[in-house]
């Protein structure tokens, strides 16, 4: 059997699968864990060309898409423009920024062989496309989230430099914006990519569950998730520290302002008593 190729992209934070399904005439309401599968006539109507039976595109609600079996660059661009009509936030020119390629090989072997570029299995199973696509989709989505977390770290590093120089002046709006970025990052990672959740097929098929678990371990999805969660918790602690310091500085400023006004009033009273001012 010819190798099955997979090409995954993380193109945005969220894709409304139900809007696309309605447009394509697919009579099904999708939940977060179910990918929207585009193939056959539907895929041909989108790309305006004939497609083979084994070609398909899996679209995930957390912003990833996976092309299965030899799509050329024009096909990928065409599909991206189609999705862009539903999700304007998709930056087509940056689609290649978070991507991964993988292959499924069928070969007489006693055990499954996993590598960074391909997996070798003894026989084909119908659940392979969904499970491999799900792993790749989550992996590239994590890569995107990891970089976004790095940008937040850079922002906090600048704030720490200001603190070390004794010139920390952070307004409530800046604190709120930075905290919102951390919350958004956590939502994208924990609440939406759902790293710890499994596709439905893994609960009904033990072999599917074992295969999925092996791929999760190989791609280190759980470890990467734990690292991101730990870094997010650290960011929250840092922001709490900044907020405390900022509020303390404002409180101290108010206190000194009150003291200054009291002293000024006393001086004015004394000057009136001695007759220096009327």
């Amino acid at each position: 059997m010819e190798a099955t190729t997979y090409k995954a992209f993380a193109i945005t934070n969220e894709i409304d699968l139900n809007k696309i399904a309605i447009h394509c005439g697919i009579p099904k309401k999708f939940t977060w864990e179910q990918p929207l599968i585009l193939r056959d006539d539907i895929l041909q109507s989108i790309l305006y060309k004939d497609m083979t039976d084994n070609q398909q595109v899996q679209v995930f609600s957390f912003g990833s898409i996976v092309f299965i079996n030899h799509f050329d660059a024009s096909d990928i661009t065409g599909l991206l423009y189609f999705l862009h009509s539903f999700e304007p936030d998709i930056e087509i020119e940056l689609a290649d920024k978070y991507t991964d390629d993988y292959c499924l090989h069928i070969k007489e072997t006693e055990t499954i062989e996993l590598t960074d570029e391909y997996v070798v299995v003894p026989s084909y199973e119908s659940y392979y496309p969904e499970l491999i696509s799900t792993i790749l989709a989550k992996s590239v989505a994590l890569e995107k989230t990891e970089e976004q977390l790095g940008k937040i770290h850079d922002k906090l590093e600048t704030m720490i430099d200001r603190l070390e120089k004794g010139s920390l002046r952070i307004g409530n709006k800046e604190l709120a914006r930075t905290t919102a970025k951390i919350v958004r990052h956590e939502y994208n990672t924990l609440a939406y990519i759902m790293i710890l959740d499994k596709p439905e097929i893994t609960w009904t098929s033990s072999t599917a569950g074992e295969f999925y678990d092996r791929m999760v371990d190989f791609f280190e999805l759980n470890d990467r998730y734990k690292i991101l969660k730990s870094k997010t918790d650290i960011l929250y602690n840092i922001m709490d520290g900044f907020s405390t310091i900022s509020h303390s500085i404002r409180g101290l400023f108010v206190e000194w302002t009150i003291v200054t006004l009291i002293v000024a009033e006393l001086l004015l009273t004394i000057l009136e008593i001695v007759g220096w001012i009327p």
Side-chain angles (χ1 to χ4, degrees):
M1 182 176 179
E2 185 178 353
T4 304
T5 62
Y6 297 79
K7 191 172 185 66
F9 298 86
I11 55 175
T12 187
N13 291 329
E14 181 179 355
I15 298 176
D16 188 339
L17 302 186
N18 290 303
K19 271 197 307 187
I20 302 172
I22 292 173
H23 175 84
C24 295
I26 300 175
K28 178 180 179 180
K29 187 170 181 63
F30 288 84
T31 57
W32 69 264
E33 74 274 12
Q34 297 174 312
L36 169 62
I37 300 176
L38 304 175
R39 59 188 169 193
D40 301 330
D41 293 343
I42 293 175
L43 195 54
Q44 291 180 35
S45 67
I46 294 172
L47 299 178
Y48 302 103
K49 63 184 294 186
D50 292 335
M51 310 300 298
T52 62
D53 293 338
N54 63 354
Q55 287 182 296
Q56 61 177 265
V57 179
Q58 298 203 14
V59 186
F60 293 82
S61 59
F62 49 84
S64 294
I65 57 174
V66 180
F67 294 83
I68 301 178
N69 281 324
H70 306 295
F71 283 80
D72 59 34
S74 63
D75 294 335
I76 293 173
T77 301
L79 198 285
L80 289 174
Y81 274 108
F82 171 75
L83 295 177
H84 183 268
S85 66
F86 298 93
E87 303 294 344
D89 291 340
I90 295 175
E91 298 182 56
I92 296 175
E93 64 277 4
L94 299 178
D96 286 332
K97 191 170 184 180
Y98 311 102
T99 183
D100 197 5
D101 294 277
Y102 209 67
C103 282
L104 170 68
H105 295 280
I106 310 298
K107 181 181 178 182
E108 292 186 7
T109 177
E110 294 183 358
T111 59
I112 294 175
E113 178 187 352
L114 280 166
T115 74
D116 292 330
E117 298 179 353
Y118 60 84
V119 57
V120 180
V121 295
S123 62
Y124 183 82
E125 300 289 349
S126 59
Y127 52 72
Y128 283 146
E130 179 183 351
L131 297 189
I132 296 175
S133 294
T134 300
I135 293 293
L136 294 176
K138 290 187 176 185
S139 181
V140 292
L142 269 181
E143 182 184 351
K144 182 175 182 290
T145 306
E146 287 161 352
E147 181 170 301
Q148 291 173 339
L149 181 62
K151 293 179 180 178
I152 299 175
H153 270 290
D154 292 341
K155 173 67 175 177
L156 290 182
E157 187 174 352
T158 300
M159 296 165 71
I160 292 172
D161 289 340
R162 289 160 57 186
L163 175 61
E164 289 178 339
K165 295 175 182 177
S167 59
L168 181 63
R169 295 292 184 271
I170 304 177
N172 287 331
K173 288 185 178 180
E174 186 175 0
L175 284 172
R177 281 195 298 267
T178 305
T179 302
K181 289 179 181 178
I182 299 173
V183 173
R184 168 58 67 180
H185 151 77
E186 186 169 28
Y187 174 77
N188 290 342
T189 307
L190 311 183
Y192 216 69
I193 301 178
M194 295 292 185
I195 294 299
L196 301 182
D197 290 64
K198 299 180 180 182
E200 185 177 347
I201 184 64
T202 61
W203 300 106
T204 58
S205 169
S206 60
T207 54
E210 291 172 3
F211 178 78
Y212 184 82
D213 289 340
R214 286 197 60 182
M215 288 208 69
V216 166
D217 290 340
F218 187 84
F219 279 81
E220 300 179 334
L221 295 188
N222 290 337
D223 290 340
R224 291 162 66 187
Y225 158 80
K226 291 176 183 177
I227 291 172
L228 282 173
K229 182 67 173 68
S230 175
K231 289 182 177 179
T232 301
D233 292 341
I234 292 173
L235 291 179
Y236 278 127
N237 291 334
I238 293 174
M239 288 306 300
D240 285 341
F242 281 144
S243 180
T244 300
I245 293 171
S246 181
H247 290 157
S248 297
I249 291 175
R250 291 194 192 92
L252 185 61
F253 175 77
V254 171
E255 291 175 3
W256 275 108
T257 300
I258 294 173
V259 170
T260 302
L261 291 174
I262 293 173
V263 171
E265 186 175 354
L266 287 174
L267 287 175
L268 289 174
T269 302
I270 294 172
L271 293 175
E272 288 178 355
I273 292 173
V274 298
W276 287 8
I277 60 174

